[in-house]
Amino acid sequence: KAGGETAELENISGQLPKLLGKSGSYPGVLTDATSSELDQLSVKFMSQFRTEIDVGSWRTNKDMGLYMHLGLIALLFPAARIIHCRRNALDTCVSAYFQFFKLYHLPYSFDLAGLAQHFRAYHNIMEHWQDNLPMPILDFDYEDLTIDPERAIRRVSEFCGMEWSDDCLDFEKTDSLIKTASIWQVRQGMHQNSVNRWRRYEKHLTPLIDELGELAEI
């Protein structure tokens, strides 16, 4: 089940002190949470999707802020699989800058230097999770997907322990509701038109490039 971009985990993280009946704030409130309490939270969270997904099936969430909550995911859903979708840093920031997000949701996306600072923070946080999380993380590069879609998608399928289906190569034909700001791109199918897109606007990107520093090369 494709869950799109949803703030479910952000919502539950904000309610943790109340749900656990403890003082403090997230994430510190999790420090002394018992296994029983975490199991109850997991069941409570998943119960809202019982009418959407069958036992043994998968549900995805591709919200841009999920990387902040991988520690919570590891505690509540140890069987989850984390797919770290990566893209050239400059292309990533330019794409976010061009998308009109709501100001209260992604305020940093309205400023090139702010985008670069946020990207650096995200990069450091992901390095921390990759070194410390007790669950596997698959690094999945957008550029690889555009070059050889089948090979890239098979990596995801194998990582999740799922049987391969050729339907994965025709994702733009799906009748499912697409809950994401990039719905138009999804319906286009696979292409390489957006690889190194940032070069078209290079002369305007000095604040972004300077602030990213060495990360502008990845």
Side-chain angles (χ1 to χ4, degrees):
K1 173 73 176 180
E5 298 174 1
T6 59
E8 296 147 355
L9 278 166
E10 290 185 10
N11 292 337
I12 197 173
S13 68
Q15 300 173 31
L16 279 176
K18 178 180 178 180
L19 293 172
L20 291 171
K22 302 177 184 292
S23 60
S25 59
Y26 173 74
V29 72
L30 291 167
T31 302
D32 59 352
T34 66
S35 297
S36 176
E37 289 173 330
L38 293 174
D39 287 343
Q40 290 176 23
L41 280 176
S42 178
V43 170
K44 180 179 180 63
F45 180 83
M46 290 303 298
S47 65
Q48 61 187 305
F49 308 120
R50 291 305 180 202
T51 59
E52 296 183 18
I53 57 177
D54 299 321
V55 175
S57 62
W58 293 79
R59 187 180 191 277
T60 63
N61 186 343
K62 60 182 289 289
D63 185 71
M64 290 174 63
L66 274 182
Y67 70 92
M68 295 288 292
H69 303 288
L70 296 192
L72 177 60
I73 292 173
L75 289 174
L76 297 185
F77 314 110
R81 289 293 180 267
I82 307 301
I83 302 170
H84 178 207
C85 297
R86 305 186 301 186
R87 186 182 180 186
N88 171 276
L90 289 167
D91 276 343
T92 298
C93 292
V94 166
S95 179
Y97 188 70
F98 272 53
Q99 181 65 47
F100 186 69
F101 293 108
K102 294 180 180 179
L103 182 60
Y104 65 84
H105 189 199
L106 300 175
Y108 58 85
S109 67
F110 289 78
D111 177 76
L112 290 174
L115 272 165
Q117 292 163 7
H118 189 89
F119 189 93
R120 294 186 71 88
Y122 137 77
H123 181 78
N124 292 337
I125 290 171
M126 283 307 304
E127 284 192 334
H128 167 76
W129 292 133
Q130 288 169 323
D131 290 340
N132 294 281
L133 272 191
M135 61 196 309
I137 298 176
L138 175 68
D139 289 327
F140 183 77
D141 292 328
Y142 169 79
E143 291 80 8
D144 291 345
L145 178 64
T146 65
I147 294 171
D148 190 344
E150 181 171 346
R151 180 180 180 183
I153 297 172
R154 280 186 181 275
R155 285 187 65 223
V156 173
S157 179
E158 292 170 2
F159 176 72
C160 295
M162 301 170 65
E163 292 185 8
W164 173 255
S165 170
D166 288 338
D167 290 341
C168 293
L169 300 177
D170 298 317
F171 57 84
E172 72 277 10
K173 298 178 182 178
T174 180
D175 294 327
S176 300
L177 178 64
I178 299 174
K179 302 176 183 179
T180 174
S182 55
I183 180 173
W184 180 72
Q185 292 96 322
V186 173
R187 295 304 189 194
Q188 281 186 304
M190 189 57 60
H191 59 78
Q192 292 185 296
N193 298 337
S194 296
V195 176
N196 286 324
R197 180 189 181 197
W198 69 272
R199 294 192 182 279
R200 307 173 200 170
Y201 315 100
E202 185 171 1
K203 66 180 181 180
H204 304 291
L205 300 179
T206 299
L208 176 63
I209 295 171
D210 288 349
E211 191 68 35
L212 280 174
E214 73 282 1
L215 293 184
E217 303 299 323
I218 68 171

